[in-house]
Amino acid sequence: MKENTTPIEDDSGKALPILRLIDRTRSLLRSSWVVTGVGITVGVLLSTVLIVTVSDLVMAWSPVFRMICLLLIVVPVAWVFVIGALRPLLRELSSSIVARRIEREMPGIHNRIVSCVDLASGNAPTQSSAFHRRLIHEALQRIRNFRPKHALDRYSLKRSGAFALGSLVVLVVAFSI
């Protein structure tokens, strides 16, 4: 019987394919959070510009009040950008956190990926190499059909895109009238 030649670990016993999957998922999660934050930022910017502009057209505000309105645009937009787009770039996403996120999307994985990550990082108690290889092999069998995009929050991505697009459409319609 021919032995499985798929590399499941390197010379030090680390689960390379699992760690690569975690790295790809981490990168995709981070970028999707930034895109969501940028979408919300654009939506807030366009919405506040619309509100301030329409209120200025209706009320013909004084220059002092226009400066206050400018601050009402800049401050919330800057805050949303920092919280929604910059903070995800600086957020720590350890391999264990990403492994838990993957496992949430895969029923029946039973912490195998987290265990592989713990064993690969050297934080777990020493186990036999046979146990480690079997754990890695079982985890690889379970994650065979998993794609990193499955861990994304697509609902939030769609909502932020719809908010930005809707704000743009309303702003264009309001200025064309």
Side-chain angles (χ1 to χ4, degrees), residues 9 12 15 28 35 54 61 66 73 100 112 119 127 160 169:
E9 58 187 26
S12 65
L28 196 58
V35 168
V54 168
W61 301 112
R66 286 183 181 157
I73 293 172
R100 284 187 190 96
R112 283 183 176 87
L119 289 172
Q127 300 292 331
S160 71
V169 168

Side-chain angles (χ1 to χ4, degrees), residues 44-170:
V44 167
L45 172 67
L46 297 176
S47 298
T48 55
V49 166
L50 176 67
I51 291 167
V52 168
T53 305
V54 168
S55 69
D56 186 43
L57 289 173
V58 171
M59 301 293 191
W61 301 112
S62 69
V64 172
F65 194 75
R66 286 183 181 157
M67 183 57 80
I68 293 170
C69 289
L70 177 64
L71 289 174
L72 289 174
I73 293 172
V74 171
V75 171
V77 169
W79 181 75
V80 169
F81 182 73
V82 167
I83 297 299
L86 291 181
R87 197 173 102 196
L89 288 175
L90 303 174
R91 181 178 175 188
E92 180 185 350
L93 277 176
S94 68
S95 296
S96 295
I97 292 171
V98 177
R100 284 187 190 96
R101 178 81 179 230
I102 292 170
E103 287 181 350
R104 225 181 309 144
E105 300 301 319
M106 300 181 66
I109 194 78
H110 304 296
N111 291 329
R112 283 183 176 87
I113 300 173
V114 173
S115 298
C116 287
V117 167
D118 288 342
L119 289 172
S121 67
N123 294 337
T126 306
Q127 300 292 331
S128 72
S129 60
F131 170 76
H132 193 196
R133 273 195 284 288
R134 182 179 172 109
L135 178 67
I136 292 170
H137 182 71
E138 286 179 7
L140 288 171
Q141 292 300 318
R142 305 259 176 147
I143 64 171
R144 181 180 40 224
N145 296 325
F146 180 79
R147 300 293 172 256
K149 67 181 180 179
H150 295 152
L152 297 181
D153 184 4
R154 292 185 184 146
Y155 180 70
S156 294
L157 277 168
K158 288 178 185 177
R159 275 186 18 197
S160 71
F163 179 49
L165 184 63
S167 298
L168 178 64
V169 168
V170 170

Side-chain angles (χ1 to χ4, degrees), residues 30-47:
R30 214 178 277 284
S31 62
S32 73
W33 290 337
V34 169
V35 168
T36 301
V38 168
I40 293 170
T41 302
V42 168
V44 167
L45 172 67
L46 297 176
S47 298

